[in-house]
Amino acid sequence: MATGKPIPAWLQPVVLLDLLAARGINALPALQGTTLFPRDRPFTGHQLSPQHYDRLLANGHRLWRGDDFSFQLAHQLSGYGIGPLAEALGETAGAMAKLTLISRFANLASPSATLRIHQVRPDDCFLLFGGTYSLPPSPLALRCALALISRELKRSEKEIRLDAYLRETSPADRHQFQVHVAARCHFGMPINALRLRTSLPQCERAPTLRAQVALQQCAALSPAERTTLTSVQERLWSTATALNLPECALQMGMSAATLKRRLQREKISFQQITDNLRAERALIDLLLSGASVEEIGARLNFHDSSNFRRAFKRWTGMTPSDVRAVYRELFSNVN
């Protein structure tokens, strides 16, 4: 487990507890196993780890009467629940700029999920959802993040197009997605992602003083210490060339043995992380570009297309040609 506790307890956790109380539900059992205790109320100065926040989500879902807990929480979080990020978003022009801001301060928008942007074109990008201590985010966290982020983006820019792609094939609460997520939802997809497309010109303007204050506050609430998984993901995602474990460890200022040991404590391996990220990049290239399998394999530093095809089948259970045949039309032509 990571030792960092990047989630301010007086933001999302307090909103969650207030939501339960407003529905006449005893909120105290939701604290079980979270490192928060009733005596700590109102939790000023306390923080949670991503694991403990997910435990709080699971407890709240168990106590909730109905199947819309994550979505109702997203509504409550919009505004005060995401702290100064709400102010920063209000002072930011352009949907793409807002999405970048949400990704930058993911701990405020989606505490137990990582958010990575893959830019396809200036007017078309994907926000990819991962976990802070596991590769996929928890279903509850994913639902909440989709509802919150899509509604924040749609709040001031109605003309943007949002599509949510979800790996779940047929969730029992499918109708709740249609009601609460401000995006067209597609299930049984190969990735968890929110796609943003816009035909509007993206305005650039100097940040106002209010925006500068809000951004400084967001930065102050961002974790000084990331989980090792998140740090490795960010390092691998941002680099232009593939890194092996010793190279990644060197860039992170530690030995390969130390990095390997820290990842083992988080119950993940370096190979799992690299496979996951390469699979995501390969999937997007296959679905959205006209590049050949050979070209995509070369971009991902495979020496020949046969090795890439075998690795892709191991990652996804499908061949590159099967993925294109099944999904490409949907990804390319969604209106």
Side-chain angles (χ1 to χ4, degrees):
M1 269 193 185
T3 57
K5 295 186 176 182
I7 302 167
W10 50 269
L11 285 177
Q12 297 94 343
V14 162
V15 173
L16 187 157
L17 295 171
D18 277 345
L19 175 62
L20 294 175
R23 294 295 181 94
I25 300 170
N26 181 4
L28 295 184
L31 299 178
Q32 184 176 358
T34 67
T35 71
L36 293 179
F37 300 94
R39 65 175 181 269
D40 298 328
R41 290 179 295 184
F43 308 112
T44 305
H46 291 271
Q47 292 185 308
L48 289 179
S49 68
Q51 295 94 326
H52 288 129
Y53 181 71
D54 270 353
R55 175 67 63 84
L56 184 64
L57 280 176
N59 290 345
H61 181 255
R62 175 175 49 82
L63 296 168
W64 190 257
R65 306 180 188 103
D67 60 356
D68 61 345
F69 170 70
S70 292
F71 303 103
Q72 292 298 335
L73 177 59
H75 290 296
Q76 295 298 313
L77 287 173
S78 184
Y80 168 78
I82 58 175
L85 181 58
E87 179 78 12
L89 290 171
E91 292 292 311
T92 300
M96 294 293 180
K98 291 178 189 287
L99 195 65
T100 300
L101 202 59
I102 289 170
S103 174
R104 178 182 172 189
F105 298 112
N107 67 303
L108 298 177
S110 183
S112 57
T114 59
L115 306 175
R116 296 187 302 279
I117 290 179
H118 182 88
Q119 194 86 30
V120 181
R121 293 184 300 274
D123 62 347
D124 186 356
C125 74
F126 280 76
L127 185 69
L128 299 161
F129 292 85
T132 54
Y133 61 95
S134 61
L135 293 178
S138 76
L140 293 174
L142 179 60
R143 286 161 168 73
C144 188
L146 276 175
L148 172 64
I149 295 170
S150 63
R151 297 184 79 86
E152 288 292 331
L153 292 172
K154 279 283 193 179
R155 184 189 300 276
S156 58
E157 301 198 36
K158 309 298 183 184
E159 301 305 316
I160 62 173
R161 291 174 292 172
L162 292 175
D163 287 278
Y165 301 97
L166 299 135
R167 285 177 173 167
E168 285 190 85
T169 53
S170 186
D173 55 354
R174 184 173 185 147
H175 64 289
Q176 297 291 352
F177 284 87
Q178 298 168 350
V179 173
H180 298 287
V181 177
R184 185 176 176 184
C185 296
H186 310 274
F187 299 96
M189 297 292 105
I191 56 176
N192 289 318
L194 183 67
R195 184 180 187 181
L196 186 158
R197 286 174 290 176
T198 179
S199 57
L200 300 175
Q202 297 301 293
C203 303
E204 290 189 14
R205 69 184 186 195
T208 64
L209 286 176
R210 286 175 60 187
Q212 293 177 48
V213 171
L215 290 171
Q216 288 184 355
Q217 292 173 334
C218 288
L221 291 172
S222 294
E225 181 183 354
R226 303 288 184 97
T227 65
T228 306
L229 167 61
T230 301
S231 299
V232 171
Q233 284 178 322
E234 290 178 352
R235 183 75 58 179
L236 295 177
W237 191 256
S238 61
T239 187
T241 58
L243 298 176
N244 57 32
L245 189 147
E247 292 168 339
C248 187
L250 182 63
Q251 288 197 11
M252 294 175 65
M254 65 182 73
S255 69
T258 298
L259 176 56
K260 186 176 181 179
R261 186 169 58 252
R262 290 185 179 182
L263 289 172
Q264 286 174 340
R265 284 204 298 263
E266 295 182 20
K267 299 180 180 179
I268 202 79
S269 71
F270 186 82
Q271 190 64 52
Q272 286 176 285
I273 301 171
T274 55
D275 283 352
N276 185 69
L277 295 180
R278 292 169 99 187
E280 285 183 346
R281 288 187 183 276
L283 281 164
I284 290 175
D285 275 349
L286 283 166
L287 296 170
L288 296 171
S289 77
S292 67
V293 172
E294 289 74 18
E295 290 170 328
I296 295 171
R299 290 175 190 169
L300 295 173
N301 293 287
F302 282 90
H303 296 300
D304 61 68
S305 59
S306 296
N307 285 337
F308 169 62
R309 287 185 172 90
R310 283 194 295 270
F312 189 87
K313 180 73 178 291
R314 186 178 74 251
W315 298 335
T316 66
M318 300 177 72
T319 66
S321 57
D322 286 342
V323 165
R324 274 188 161 155
V326 174
Y327 298 110
R328 188 173 181 184
E329 184 175 353
L330 173 64
F331 274 73
S332 300
N333 298 324
V334 171
N335 294 319

